[in-house]
Amino acid sequence: MRSIWNGAISFGLVSIPIKLVNATENHSVHFRQIHLADGGRIRYRKVCELDEEEVSGGEIGKAYEDADGTMIPITDEDLAQLPLPTAKTIEIVAFVPADEIDPLQLDTAYYLSANGVPAAKPYTLLREALKRSNKVAVAKFALRGRERLGMLRVVDDVIAMHGLLWPDEIRAPEGVAPESDVTVRDAELDLADALMDTLGEVDMDSLHDDYREAVEELIAAKASGEAVEPSESEEPGGGKVIDLIAALESSVRAAKKSRGEGEGAAEETGTEGDMADVHPIKKKAAKKSTAARPKPTPKETGAKKSTASGSSSAGKTAQTQRKTASASAKKQSGRSTTKSTARSTAKSTAGTATRSTAKSTAKSGGKTSAKSTKKTASAPRKRASA
C-alpha cells in the first residue's frame, strides 16, 4: 500500500520512524454530470471573476475571506514559518482506557507502518505495551496543512491510528431528544431484551452494501445493451406504531423465523404468522353449562356418600343387610311385585343404615358396636317379612 505521509511517533524519548497508510477506502459508485441532449460531459472550469478568464492550477493561491468580503492572501511560505511541532511527528500526549474516547469523535483510520529495520524494535515495544495495558494512546499530528487529534490502538499485529475530531467540533444534542415524557413498561423492556437476544451477534465480515451491488449490476446491464426490468421492492412500513407490544412480539417471531426457529416461535404463540386471540370467559356461559348438567339420581347420591365415608366396616354391614333382606323377601312372596318392593325397601334401608353407621363410626373414632349393628339390621328384616 502506498504511504501518504512519512514521519515519526514520539513516545517520550523514543522516536519511531513510521509511514502513514490509509486503512479505509470508499467503494461508492461515482457519477459524472452530462448534457442530456447530446451526452457530453459537464466540466467545471476555474474562472477569475474579475477578467472572466480561465486560470490554471499554478496561478491559483490561498486567501482568507474576512467578514466584510476582503480577501487576505496566505502563502505556503507563511504557513511553513508557523511553529507546528507535529508537522512530521505523531506526538503521544496520554494513555487512556478506550471507553473514554467518545465514538462521535472517530474519523478516518490509518495504519502505521514501521519505516525501516531500526524502527522494528521500538514499534514492537509500543505495540506490546498497548496490548498489555488495554489502553489507547491519544496523540497530536499534522496532516494536509492542519493539526489533528488521533487515537492509537492495536489491530492484529499493527498499530492503527484513528483521526479524532476535536472536542469543540462535537455539537451538543440540544433539541434532539423527545420533548414529551414517555414511560416504558417492564413488559416492553422484556420484549426488547428478547428481540436483542434473538438477533444475537453477527459476523461483521458477512455484511455488504446491497445497494452498491445493485447499481453495479444496473451499469453492467446497460453497458451490454440488456433491458433493465424494475425489481420488486418491499413497501416500507408506516411510521405510526399502534401497538408497541404487538410490534415487538412480531419482530421477535420474524427474527426467530429468519434464524430457522420459526417452528418453535409458532408453538409459543399458537400460530405461525398471526398472534393468538385471547377472549375473556363470560360468567353467563359458565352458569348455563352448569345448569345443563343432569341431576344425580338418588342411587348415585347414595353411592357417592357411601364412598365418601370410606369405612370398611360400614361397607361390610350394608352388604350383609342387603343379602339378608333379599333372601327374606324371596321366602315371603313369589310375586314379582313383592320382590321389587322388597328390593327397593332393602336398598333404601341399607343406605340409611350405612349413613347412620358411618356417622356413629366417625364419632366414636372408627369403633363400631356389634350390638347396635344387629339391632339396626333386624328392623328392616321385620318390615320386609311383613
Side-chain angles (χ1 to χ4, degrees):
M1 291 184 285
R2 185 176 63 87
S3 63
I4 60 174
W5 183 86
N6 293 340
I9 300 176
S10 176
F11 179 32
L13 298 178
V14 178
S15 180
I16 311 172
I18 55 96
K19 296 185 291 184
L20 197 67
V21 180
N22 277 325
T24 62
E25 54 188 0
N26 189 350
H27 289 167
S28 299
V29 179
H30 299 280
F31 298 101
R32 302 291 186 183
Q33 292 183 329
I34 61 171
H35 187 199
L36 293 177
D38 54 16
R41 181 177 172 184
I42 304 299
R43 295 182 181 272
Y44 292 94
R45 302 183 185 275
K46 297 179 180 180
V47 178
C48 177
E49 292 182 352
L50 298 179
D51 56 18
E52 295 184 354
E53 293 183 359
E54 185 178 353
V55 295
S56 62
E59 301 176 279
I60 299 175
K62 298 183 183 72
Y64 176 79
E65 185 177 3
D66 204 355
D68 58 358
T70 304
M71 294 294 178
I72 303 174
I74 303 293
T75 64
D76 292 339
E77 289 76 13
D78 294 335
L79 295 175
Q81 292 175 3
L82 295 177
L84 187 60
T86 58
K88 286 291 182 180
T89 305
I90 299 175
E91 182 181 355
I92 296 177
V93 297
F95 293 90
V96 299
D99 56 5
E100 289 190 9
I101 304 297
D102 191 342
L104 286 174
Q105 292 183 255
L106 295 178
D107 201 358
T108 309
Y110 307 94
Y111 288 134
L112 304 182
S113 173
N115 192 3
V117 176
K121 179 70 174 182
Y123 183 96
T124 305
L125 174 64
L126 176 59
R127 182 191 67 196
E128 296 303 317
L130 289 172
K131 279 185 179 180
R132 190 168 69 173
S133 65
N134 291 324
K135 293 183 178 181
V136 296
V138 178
K140 290 182 177 181
F141 67 102
L143 184 64
R144 298 187 179 97
R146 60 182 292 253
E147 190 172 47
R148 303 169 187 262
L149 193 63
M151 177 189 74
L152 277 64
R153 69 184 184 96
V154 178
V155 178
D156 295 334
D157 289 332
V158 176
I159 299 176
M161 181 174 68
H162 295 269
L164 299 178
L165 298 175
W166 295 97
D168 59 359
E169 293 179 323
I170 305 297
R171 300 173 63 184
E174 297 178 356
V176 179
E179 295 181 0
S180 59
D181 295 333
V182 180
T183 303
V184 180
R185 294 178 293 171
D186 291 338
E188 295 169 340
L189 285 174
D190 293 340
L191 282 172
D193 292 339
L195 178 59
M196 292 165 55
D197 294 338
T198 303
L199 292 175
E201 300 178 355
V202 65
D203 183 7
M204 297 298 293
D205 294 334
S206 66
L207 301 179
H208 58 279
D209 189 347
D210 295 326
Y211 179 76
R212 176 174 59 86
E213 292 180 357
V215 171
E216 292 174 348
E217 292 177 0
L218 172 64
I219 294 173
K222 285 209 164 191
S224 59
E226 298 178 2
V228 180
E229 297 180 359
S231 59
E232 297 181 359
S233 58
E234 297 181 358
E235 296 182 359
K240 185 178 180 181
V241 179
I242 299 176
D243 190 344
L244 184 57
I245 292 289
L248 288 170
E249 289 177 345
S250 300
S251 300
V252 171
R253 288 198 301 273
K256 287 183 177 180
K257 186 176 181 180
S258 65
R259 292 178 175 270
E261 302 176 10
E263 296 179 358
E267 291 177 0
E268 291 178 3
T269 56
T271 56
E272 184 172 344
D274 300 329
M275 294 179 60
D277 295 331
V278 179
H279 302 284
I281 298 175
K282 297 181 180 180
K283 295 182 179 180
K284 293 183 179 180
K287 290 181 179 179
K288 289 181 179 180
S289 61
T290 305
R293 294 179 182 176
K295 293 183 177 181
T297 61
K299 294 181 180 180
E300 293 176 350
T301 305
K304 289 182 178 179
K305 291 182 177 180
S306 176
T307 306
S309 64
S311 175
S312 60
S313 60
K316 291 180 180 180
T317 304
Q319 186 177 4
T320 304
Q321 291 171 351
R322 284 197 296 271
K323 289 181 179 180
T324 306
S326 178
S328 176
K330 286 180 181 180
K331 291 179 180 179
Q332 296 296 329
S333 177
R335 296 179 181 179
S336 58
T337 306
T338 307
K339 290 181 180 180
S340 59
T341 304
R343 288 175 183 172
S344 60
T345 304
K347 289 182 179 179
S348 175
T349 306
T352 305
T354 303
R355 287 194 295 270
S356 61
T357 306
K359 289 180 180 180
S360 61
T361 303
K363 290 180 180 180
S364 60
K367 296 181 180 181
T368 306
S369 175
K371 293 181 179 180
S372 176
T373 303
K374 289 181 181 179
K375 289 180 181 181
T376 306
S378 62
R381 282 200 299 271
K382 291 179 180 181
R383 291 179 184 175
S385 59

